Amino acid sequence: MKRHKWPWSLAAILVLLVCPAIQAGCGGESPTTGYLGHDESSAVFLDWSRTGDSVKGHLSMVLPMNDGLTSLSAPLTGTISGSKVMLRVEAGYAGAPTSLTGTLTDDHLRLHGDDLSSSDLVSATRAQYNAAVVALIPQASEEDMAQQRGAAAESAVKLGIRSLQIGIESYAVEHDNVYPPDADQSTLGEYLAKWPTNPYTGAPMTSGDNPGEYWYTDYGTSFSLDGYGSDGDILISVP
């Protein structure tokens, strides 16, 4: 089966859901019958089109592996005789074809095989399989999200300070290596393509010692510039 070790990227996940079998492409005719089995950690979906006693379709699975999720997808062929189902999946875990047997009763399909052990599947659509897979994706906790927002804000402060540093040094180049008496927009605005934004307020960065602000000191032929983080402590100092 074709394996995909998933990064947590929504775009990548959607590609895997919409195009489960790369060999078949994304524009082919969809199978008309599908069966789904899932729990809190995995999902399996089998869909096929049937001509007489012959079926042709795909087997798709999402399984836990190495603290993440692994997606597997492979084409299948098989036969149905009464309630007995015999399937051949093109590639198993070892890369060799895998045989599955099962019993089809009304809207239920019970499968047996090396890759599936024993699985009870019920009639379903691929959209339902997609929803089951999305439900497996771990959601970030509020604490994780707060940490991510905090890290992004700190990065924005650092970038803003570096931008101001460039403006200050550009000013000195045009003023015989004398640094500006202050570092506000009226003095440095022309030396910056865009004035940096305070990530904590959404307003332009200003002088001060509050989160997202900066403190500039001019020594004539040198200077110091500090940027403040969320706790009001100095986050970055340049040069």
Side-chain angles (χ1 to χ4, degrees):
M1 294 181 186
K2 188 172 183 63
R3 290 179 179 233
H4 302 272
K5 185 67 174 68
W6 283 11
W8 299 122
S9 162
L10 180 59
I13 291 171
L14 290 176
V15 169
L16 291 174
L17 295 182
V18 175
C19 304
I22 295 176
Q23 299 94 326
C26 294
E29 180 181 356
S30 299
T32 58
T33 303
Y35 296 92
L36 170 67
H38 66 96
D39 56 25
E40 67 279 0
S41 63
S42 62
V44 57
F45 184 70
L46 182 154
D47 54 2
W48 63 48
S49 57
R50 181 173 178 176
T51 303
D53 291 338
S54 299
V55 295
K56 182 178 181 180
H58 295 92
L59 176 67
S60 302
M61 302 174 67
V62 173
L63 305 171
M65 183 173 290
N66 298 329
D67 298 324
L69 292 177
T70 295
S71 169
L72 303 94
S73 179
L76 63 82
T77 56
T79 60
I80 299 177
S81 179
S83 62
K84 185 176 181 179
V85 178
M86 298 185 66
L87 302 174
R88 174 188 171 94
V89 182
E90 290 303 316
Y93 282 106
T98 299
S99 295
L100 302 174
T101 60
T103 303
L104 182 62
T105 306
D106 296 327
D107 292 335
H108 292 264
L109 175 64
R110 183 173 180 82
L111 287 177
H112 308 274
D114 292 340
D115 280 0
L116 290 176
S117 184
S118 179
S119 298
D120 288 306
L121 287 73
V122 297
S123 179
T125 64
R126 178 158 290 278
Q128 290 172 303
Y129 169 66
N130 292 351
V133 171
V134 170
L136 297 177
I137 301 170
Q139 301 298 310
S141 67
E142 286 297 325
E143 181 179 356
D144 290 338
M145 293 176 67
Q147 290 177 347
Q148 293 173 9
R149 288 193 294 267
E154 290 187 352
S155 295
V157 171
K158 292 177 181 179
L159 288 173
I161 294 300
R162 293 296 184 187
S163 179
L164 290 174
Q165 179 186 8
I166 292 173
I168 292 167
E169 292 174 344
S170 297
Y171 175 99
V173 168
E174 293 188 1
H175 292 81
D176 298 323
N177 293 322
V178 175
Y179 291 97
D182 53 56
D184 57 21
Q185 278 186 272
S186 61
T187 303
L188 298 181
E190 63 180 293
Y191 299 99
L192 277 69
K194 181 179 180 181
W195 192 261
T197 298
N198 183 331
Y200 301 104
T201 65
M205 265 191 174
T206 57
S207 178
D209 55 7
N210 294 310
E213 296 179 341
Y214 62 89
W215 192 263
Y216 170 73
T217 303
D218 163 38
Y219 301 110
T221 58
S222 65
F223 72 94
S224 64
L225 181 66
D226 302 323
Y228 293 87
S230 61
D231 54 6
D233 291 337
I234 294 175
L235 179 65
I236 179 175
S237 295
V238 295

